[in-house]
Amino acid sequence: MSVALLWVVSPCEVSNGTGFLDSVREGNRVFDSSRHRNLVCNERNKRGVKQRWNFGSVRSAMVATPAGEMATMTSEQMVYDVVLKQAALVKRQLRSADDLEVKPEIPLPGNLSLLSEAYDRCSEVCAEYAKTFYLGTMLMTPERRRAIWAIYVWCRRTDELVDGPNASHITPQALDRWEDRLEDVFSGRPFDMLDAALSDTVSKFPVDIQPFRDMIEGMRMDLRKSRYRNFDELYLYCYYVAGTVGLMSVPIMGIAPDSKATTESVYNAALALGIANQLTNILRDVGEDARRGRVYLPQDELAQAGLFDDDIFAGKVTDKWRSFMKKQIQRARKFFDEAEEGVTQLSSASRWPVWASLLLYRQILDEIEANDYNNFTKRAYVSKPKKLISLPIAYAKSLVPPTRTLVTSS
Ligand SMILES: CC(C)=CCC/C(C)=C/CC/C(C)=C/CC/C(C)=C/[C@@H]1[C@@H](COP(=O)(O)OP(=O)(O)O)[C@]1(C)CC/C=C(\C)CC/C=C(\C)CCC=C(C)C
Ligand SMILES: [Mn+2]
């Protein structure tokens, strides 16, 4: 992984790394698939540029009310706007497509085997870094599975920029370069094999570039910020680094043809799952993050509970801490509940891996409780037997057809 990092910092310098980045060593543009994708991607690009709505460092936006007064928009409202736009984009693209099936691969002599090699590399990375999730993807159709691997790898690489072994060398400029590369991926000009797999994926599925840009924005936020004043600020961060994953995944997972749910409501549930996962991550990693000088927990809620940064650095489990943690866990569970309603609406083959990931992640919260809220020095994890039991439960849940109607919250 360190290779990918170096590579963003300085595209010419490539050092040895793990298997993750072997493809990087194959040099500069190993695969140019732009020829067969220009039409799709130019069109997508135009839309991407027109629709660029990065929140940047803005925590809240001023909007005019119908009465002409200026009001502040919360992060949740701004993110919901993204959800609506994503849902509208997908609906428009599906309406204009002849059918909802995945487009066939355009035969490209010589390049096809490279492309399949590229996906093989993504599969290996995924299998290495997220074994259970990788197993879950095996139930998906081959096209969807490959696409999810490609997205997973891009997300992992993006996270590694700020969290990996070379994170201390990462500057906002390096993230800008990573974003330029992303634009190239969506224009059909991938830089390396792993990018090539993503280029192919975004040409075949109605995936929009915005959530990818927003994830990079989340990494920028992580570079410049180590405290969150309130939940509104934290929510925005969680959207950037995790809610975006939900938005990237739905166009691949697909919505069940017999679902009566609105597209927006399914996207909203996907967003909720990302937020729930990230809140869980944050609650699990309090001690680890504090040792890196980071406190993701909302400062105002800590203060209300009579707690301050020093209490977190001291890492003592007190009654104040327990009762603070109970509330945080309760909030994370609400997001999981919101997500549950959407999983059933996904296409049948995609439901199992999503249920599995939801059940497994949610159990981390139970483990924090079981550790008596000591998330300073004890890492909450789900044991192998518990993981194994969750898989058939997830499978049984995935058999439930999408009968209920999901209503869009506003
Ligand atoms: C309708 C409905 C419910 C649809 C499902 C939508 C869906 C598949 C949502 C997936 C949500 C999900 C798995 C979000 C990932 C959240 C997450 C853990 C983000 C992590 C960010 C940074 O956090 P941090 O640095 O604190 O964490 P670490 O200590 O480094 O772990 C991430 C690490 C960002 C990078 C994210 C990934 C590598 C995961 C990408 C996953 C996919 C593309 C596959 C998602 C598919 C399934 C089936 C789960
Ligand atoms: Mn990380």
Side-chain angles (χ1 to χ4, degrees):
M1 276 189 280
S2 50
V3 181
L5 280 165
L6 277 175
W7 200 43
V8 173
V9 178
S10 153
C12 320
E13 283 173 44
V14 177
S15 70
N16 280 334
T18 64
F20 186 10
L21 293 150
D22 284 349
S23 59
V24 172
R25 283 192 218 116
E26 300 189 13
N28 293 340
R29 299 189 185 286
V30 291
F31 184 93
D32 187 344
S33 51
S34 54
R35 273 178 303 148
H36 74 282
R37 244 193 311 281
N38 268 347
L39 279 178
V40 182
C41 291
N42 285 343
E43 218 248 312
R44 203 194 294 281
N45 253 4
K46 264 188 246 147
R47 192 169 29 242
V49 171
K50 262 195 240 152
Q51 295 218 328
R52 221 186 137 105
W53 66 90
N54 256 340
F55 301 139
S57 58
V58 180
R59 283 188 310 274
S60 52
M62 295 298 284
V63 285
T65 64
E69 290 157 356
M70 294 308 280
T72 314
M73 234 177 148
T74 64
S75 296
E76 211 158 331
Q77 286 163 335
M78 290 194 293
V79 171
Y80 192 63
D81 203 36
V82 181
V83 168
L84 292 182
K85 282 173 181 154
Q86 290 297 306
L89 270 177
V90 167
K91 269 193 278 191
R92 205 177 315 143
Q93 293 191 0
L94 291 184
R95 255 204 315 271
S96 61
D98 288 335
D99 62 48
L100 304 188
E101 284 311 303
V102 173
K103 293 184 198 115
E105 211 145 81
I106 299 156
L108 272 184
N111 277 354
L112 260 188
S113 69
L114 262 183
L115 187 56
S116 98
E117 243 180 78
Y119 278 116
D120 286 351
R121 291 289 303 121
C122 291
S123 137
E124 282 163 26
V125 172
C126 211
E128 192 180 330
Y129 286 83
K131 282 188 192 66
T132 320
F133 159 67
Y134 177 76
L135 266 182
T137 59
M138 293 319 255
L139 273 197
M140 298 170 78
T141 62
E143 292 81 9
R144 286 188 171 138
R145 177 194 312 156
R146 294 186 337 159
I148 282 289
W149 292 338
I151 293 181
Y152 176 88
V153 167
W154 185 86
C155 292
R156 192 30 76 219
R157 288 175 110 181
T158 305
D159 182 57
E160 279 297 309
L161 294 177
V162 291
D163 264 359
N166 292 321
S168 56
H169 305 296
I170 288 296
T171 58
Q173 290 71 35
L175 288 175
D176 291 348
R177 282 202 289 279
W178 186 245
E179 189 165 344
D180 290 343
R181 258 179 72 168
L182 171 72
E183 301 284 340
D184 284 346
V185 164
F186 274 76
S187 307
R189 295 195 308 274
F191 198 83
D192 68 0
M193 280 183 94
L194 300 175
D195 279 355
L198 186 59
S199 254
D200 184 64
T201 287
V202 304
S203 78
K204 290 185 174 138
F205 291 88
V207 178
D208 184 48
I209 192 171
Q210 193 57 44
F212 292 82
R213 287 189 189 129
D214 285 346
M215 181 178 276
I216 299 176
E217 190 54 37
M219 304 304 159
R220 285 193 188 101
M221 201 180 225
D222 223 7
L223 283 189
R224 67 168 181 259
K225 215 168 138 93
S226 60
R227 297 291 183 282
Y228 293 80
R229 271 188 287 193
N230 48 40
F231 184 67
D232 191 61
E233 287 193 5
L234 182 62
Y235 180 90
L236 189 55
Y237 172 70
C238 291
Y239 158 68
Y240 279 146
V241 300
T244 48
V245 180
L247 304 188
M248 294 168 192
S249 307
V250 176
I252 311 292
M253 306 263 169
I255 300 176
D258 48 342
S259 167
K260 304 277 185 300
T262 61
T263 314
E264 299 83 69
S265 63
V266 179
Y267 270 86
N268 208 39
L271 165 73
L273 183 53
I275 304 274
N277 284 347
Q278 188 59 19
L279 289 176
T280 304
N281 249 0
I282 287 170
L283 298 179
R284 181 194 59 194
D285 297 342
V286 170
E288 201 181 305
D289 289 333
R291 286 185 281 281
R292 298 188 306 144
R294 317 194 70 87
V295 179
Y296 289 97
L297 303 164
Q299 295 284 315
D300 61 345
E301 294 175 19
L302 280 167
Q304 273 158 27
L307 292 159
F308 298 92
D309 281 0
D310 282 349
D311 295 302
I312 291 174
F313 296 132
K316 204 162 170 268
V317 181
T318 57
D319 281 345
K320 271 189 202 166
W321 180 250
R322 287 187 189 93
S323 100
F324 171 80
M325 277 302 298
K326 277 181 198 168
K327 288 189 190 139
Q328 301 296 318
I329 289 176
Q330 195 180 16
R331 176 192 278 145
R333 286 194 174 124
K334 278 205 181 119
F335 281 99
F336 278 117
D337 293 347
E338 202 178 326
E340 278 206 12
E341 298 179 33
V343 190
T344 311
Q345 313 300 325
L346 293 173
S347 69
S348 56
S350 303
R351 293 201 285 266
W352 190 61
V354 177
W355 270 121
S357 99
L358 188 154
L359 296 181
L360 291 176
Y361 239 86
R362 191 167 53 190
Q363 284 178 76
I364 297 176
L365 297 174
D366 306 341
E367 297 303 327
I368 298 174
E369 287 171 342
N371 285 346
D372 190 28
Y373 307 98
N374 181 1
N375 42 7
F376 299 118
T377 53
K378 262 188 172 175
R379 188 177 165 95
Y381 74 98
V382 181
S383 67
K384 255 214 172 105
K386 281 187 186 163
K387 273 189 183 168
L388 285 176
I389 294 169
S390 304
L391 298 183
I393 298 175
Y395 186 71
K397 280 179 174 286
S398 73
L399 298 178
V400 176
T403 46
R404 272 185 308 152
T405 310
L406 262 186
V407 280
T408 318
S409 59
S410 52

